[in-house]
Amino acid sequence: MLIAVDKVEAAAEGGQREFRVEELAEAAGITTRTLRFYRERKLLQPPRKEGRIAWYGEAHLSRLRMIAELLERGHTLGGITELIGAGESGRDVADLIGLEAALVAPWSDETTVHLDWDELKAAFGDQLTEENTAESIDQGFITVEDDGITHVSRRLMDATTALVAEGVPLSVVLAASRRTQEHVTAIAEIFTALVREHVLGALSAETPLPPGEAARLTEQILRIRPLARTVTDAQFALAMDRRVHAEYEELLRQRLEHRDSD
């Protein structure tokens, strides 16, 4: 995802506007003290000097707006310095930011759901215990509020209430959920290692990425993301086929043995 940068109107035909320190700070929406601090941290390019006057141009304003956007995204000044240094070494800052966005973007498309205490009581009855609530909190599914709870996944909440309605105790559902989390975490680690070792190996190298490499990696990550979910879904479905057939054959065997013993 590229950072959008506004252009400053040219002061003269064919030229670019230049700013004194105070003018640049005002255009960027920061104080002159902050601007000088960025200069000291080498976040800002040196200005053009004309005698004792320092003149800043559109590139400086673009850099300041980029810094502001990165700070809003949660980057530290140290991290921004590294990104800018990488860009000045041949790696495009916007491409690196796009790669970061592709890597850390949410894999899930879950939506939260809020249920008040009356709805929870209707769904779970006397199974709405402190123990089951504590287990749900510990697994990271719910946050408890004065008027009810908020669940991180409407789909998981709907599945839980449906299973309980079918007669499966809530404590059993939560125990199965905990075991499932352990296994899916292991699966996630497998795919993370695959991407780290065979796709992103260049990022750990000390040498700068060649121009365009970050953009290429971003496109590759975006192609791989849905493949990981496809493989996991297919493997789970095939495993269920194997397990259900095995369980059914065992049930038939037991019934035949019971019939023969009568």
Side-chain angles (χ1 to χ4, degrees), residues 187-245:
I187 293 171
E189 289 174 354
I190 291 172
F191 278 102
T192 301
L194 181 149
V195 172
R196 181 179 62 247
E197 295 170 11
H198 299 284
V199 178
L200 300 179
L203 288 181
S204 61
E206 295 181 0
T207 56
L209 288 176
E213 181 66 7
R216 188 193 68 79
L217 287 173
T218 300
E219 294 176 357
Q220 191 173 13
I221 289 295
L222 293 177
R223 291 194 300 269
I224 289 174
R225 283 170 62 97
L227 296 178
R229 295 184 66 166
T230 297
V231 170
T232 304
D233 290 344
Q235 290 276 32
F236 175 73
L238 291 170
M240 286 297 297
D241 286 343
R242 292 191 295 269
R243 290 302 305 148
V244 168
H245 281 92

Side-chain angles (χ1 to χ4, degrees), residues 155-168:
R155 292 197 302 168
L156 286 177
M157 189 67 197
D158 289 346
T160 299
T161 55
L163 286 169
V164 171
E166 294 293 339
V168 182

Side-chain angles (χ1 to χ4, degrees), residues 39-90:
R39 277 290 317 277
E40 293 170 0
R41 292 290 299 267
K42 300 188 184 302
L43 291 168
L44 204 61
Q45 315 94 305
R48 180 180 71 84
K49 289 293 188 68
E50 188 176 287
R52 299 181 61 183
I53 300 177
W55 290 101
Y56 297 84
E58 290 182 12
H60 297 94
L61 182 58
S62 297
R63 174 68 62 81
L64 289 173
R65 287 175 173 168
M66 182 187 72
I67 292 170
E69 186 166 340
L70 289 173
L71 288 172
E72 288 180 3
R73 295 185 185 185
H75 289 266
T76 64
L77 284 177
I80 295 173
T81 302
E82 184 177 348
L83 277 173
I84 289 175
E88 291 176 347
S89 299

Side-chain angles (χ1 to χ4, degrees), residues 23-39:
E23 295 171 333
L24 179 64
E26 182 179 0
I30 60 175
T31 65
T32 55
R33 177 179 295 182
T34 299
L35 192 152
R36 291 191 174 97
F37 175 72
Y38 289 165
R39 277 290 317 277

Side-chain angles (χ1 to χ4, degrees), residues 128-204:
L128 189 63
T129 62
E130 291 184 5
E131 292 78 11
N132 285 335
T133 301
E135 179 65 17
S136 297
I137 294 172
D138 191 55
Q139 291 190 38
F141 288 137
I142 68 170
T143 54
V144 178
E145 298 143 13
D146 291 339
D147 60 342
I149 63 100
T150 296
H151 198 291
V152 297
S153 169
R154 177 181 292 275
R155 292 197 302 168
L156 286 177
M157 189 67 197
D158 289 346
T160 299
T161 55
L163 286 169
V164 171
E166 294 293 339
V168 182
L170 178 57
S171 60
V172 174
V173 174
L174 291 172
S177 171
R178 181 172 286 280
R179 292 184 62 192
T180 301
Q181 277 195 348
E182 295 171 357
H183 289 292
V184 296
T185 297
I187 293 171
E189 289 174 354
I190 291 172
F191 278 102
T192 301
L194 181 149
V195 172
R196 181 179 62 247
E197 295 170 11
H198 299 284
V199 178
L200 300 179
L203 288 181
S204 61

Side-chain angles (χ1 to χ4, degrees), residues 246-258:
E247 290 290 331
Y248 181 66
E249 290 173 1
E250 177 63 18
L251 177 62
L252 287 180
R253 186 188 65 78
Q254 292 177 4
R255 289 178 63 86
L256 286 171
E257 287 182 352
H258 179 72

